[in-house]
Amino acid sequence: MWHLLHVTIHLCYFAINIANALESHLISKGLLRRYKSLHISKLQYLAIVIESEDCRTSNVIELLQWLADLGVKHVCLYDMEGILKKSKDFILEKFDGATLFQENDVLLDQPLMTLEFASFSDGKEAVAKAANVLFMKYLKSGSTSSYQGEQIFTESQMGEALKTVGGNGPEPDLLLVYGPARCHLGFPAWRIRYTEIQHMGPLKSMKYGSLIKAIYKFTMVQQNYVKEERQGKTMEWGRTGVDIAKSTTAPLLACFAPRFGK
Amino acid sequence: MPFSLHFSPTPLITAPSPLSKPFFLVPYYHTLYAPKSPPCSSTEHALTHQGKQEAFDRRPEDSQTLPLGLRRDAMPSHVAVIMDGNRRWARLRDLPVRSGYEAGVESLRKIVEICCKWGIKVLSVFAFSSDNWFRPKVEVEFLMSLFERGMQEDTGIFFRENIRISVIGDLTKLPKALQELMVNLEEATKNNTRFQLIVAVSYSGHYDVVQACQRLALKAKCGLIEPSDINVSLMEQELETNCTEFPHPDLLIRTSGEFRISNFMLWQLAYTELFFAQSLWPDFGEAEFLKALLAFQQRQRRYGV
């Protein structure tokens, strides 16, 4: 009986994998109408997290080419050990369509993709350095405050300190994780408050169709929710069919309502 | 929108022990009654009470049967939850928003019960974000009263079930009465060891990092540490999750189909397995929790090293 159950579940998993692979194939061939037009302008900054052990520059360059074809303009490549950072020059040389992201770059539409390379040192280590910067400023200010309850630092001061140590880039709208584990592997935490996170599986098994689907899902979800959340007004209107029908953009979104309604 | 998982190996399925009880039996503590009168000194009552207490003490977690497919050795020590979807749940049923929150509290109670049963040591819940202060005043006031009521009503259970309560977040913004209640409850339950419930109220990941920096700065100013000593390890020790033996969640569950961590435990979640569930929080029950745990146990977790 247990063996039968085991086999049944194994077959279900197999069927799901086949279905996903087929869907990905149909998407990449442009046969699924829904995915044909992506509102790529909604994706201002994309982060790609790759497990260091799976970093193959050939796969990375192919992935960047797909993103360039889709019109993605700003990408941050992250792996914990900094393998991609070390291969930065090689990647930029092999992938013609990109320039290195400069900290003061504004996220505008531009002909070439900008690439940022990040690693663990830009995450927790940068925050520790920023803490040191804040402390030195605090000492210099001559403040006599020693009351633990009093606020001596603010979030914006931390943001500025992170910029000083080179650890504060833009907050990605979407973060794609390529690897076996469904976690962001230490991507600079300060920058992912409201970032949409999607797990894509191992890099070696990446599929163009899956990439399109992930970006499509992001562009459809972003509607109202995150904008209000970033303004400090958390609302939960954007995901349900009922709420979308009530919005002023109902005619445009009505065809998607059944996908979101419970 | 269907939630797609990349399934790898099929979960292990083991036949249940013939002597084990089904996992769906009502857990032990539901059969206990809080004493409404002072303890009776009669011998009979003492023996009955002692019998129940001994039975409770004799019930080690190892004898609790886990559901099909779950492995005890691979259970996460610390699970974090973003309890999203309460208001949407109410709106879908044409109920007032407060009904959604009340249903959410019931859901939380069930999950705490399940965690105790299945041997999870710590559960952190994102009850109220720093961003939530911008919600309508009436709603915020209701939430504050709900927290107060919930903590008061469940105090007996916390003591009986040996549950430790910890609260993290900027409590200075909370009503004074609620602040006192939380502080007193934390103090009173600090020696409870069976299970720890961490409630994040008026909390954000950014706030947590900044307050850790602040604490380090004050320590350095007092000469307790050198400024040059400030590093990742010291930062971790000053985060508000230093209230637990397991400060880094192994698994984060977010309900309602949103794929964000929304400023929750930003630092602590670096290697946390992320599970995004479609159901709304009041509907998140044992079956959904089991799904999340099975997915967690399937993963090849290399912790990024």
Side-chain angles (χ1 to χ4, degrees), chain B residues 176-244:
Chain B
K176 284 277 179 256
L178 183 55
Q179 284 184 48
E180 275 175 29
L181 175 64
M182 285 175 168
V183 167
N184 291 339
L185 196 54
E186 273 191 293
E187 182 62 28
T189 60
K190 69 180 180 188
N191 295 320
N192 292 352
T193 54
R194 182 186 174 202
F195 173 76
Q196 185 174 14
L197 175 64
I198 299 176
V199 185
V201 181
S202 185
Y203 177 90
S204 77
H206 272 197
Y207 153 80
D208 203 357
V209 168
V210 170
Q211 71 81 33
C213 291
Q214 193 159 290
R215 288 161 69 92
L216 282 173
L218 288 170
K219 278 188 173 177
K221 192 174 179 195
C222 295
L224 295 172
I225 56 171
E226 291 298 320
S228 55
D229 290 340
I230 296 177
N231 58 19
V232 171
S233 174
L234 278 188
M235 284 282 308
E236 301 226 335
Q237 289 170 34
E238 297 301 331
L239 293 169
E240 297 218 323
T241 40
N242 64 4
C243 61
T244 176

Side-chain angles (χ1 to χ4, degrees), chain B residues 116-152:
Chain B
C116 288
K117 200 166 61 167
W118 292 353
I120 291 166
K121 286 302 201 183
V122 183
L123 176 71
S124 293
V125 294
F126 202 9
F128 191 86
S129 158
S130 304
D131 296 332
N132 294 154
W133 287 111
F134 294 97
R135 287 190 179 173
K137 192 177 170 201
V138 169
E139 193 173 319
V140 170
E141 282 171 0
F142 173 75
L143 281 169
M144 294 298 124
S145 69
L146 189 63
F147 293 147
E148 196 170 338
R149 203 171 4 121
M151 287 187 162
Q152 282 169 341

Side-chain angles (χ1 to χ4, degrees), chain A residues 192-248:
Chain A
I192 54 169
R193 284 181 301 169
Y194 307 115
T195 302
E196 198 91 348
I197 300 172
Q198 297 215 28
H199 182 239
M200 305 297 289
L203 185 68
K204 61 184 179 194
S205 313
M206 65 182 194
K207 295 181 183 58
Y208 184 57
S210 301
L211 180 65
I212 293 178
K213 187 177 174 183
I215 294 175
Y216 174 81
K217 274 165 73 172
F218 162 77
T219 59
M220 294 317 299
V221 167
Q222 278 298 89
Q223 305 291 339
N224 298 319
Y225 192 165
V226 175
K227 197 173 161 191
E228 277 82 8
E229 199 171 31
R230 281 180 174 164
Q231 288 168 354
K233 297 171 190 171
T234 305
M235 294 174 64
E236 294 168 26
W237 290 91
R239 293 279 298 178
T240 63
V242 171
D243 294 333
I244 288 171
K246 283 179 183 171
S247 76
T248 55

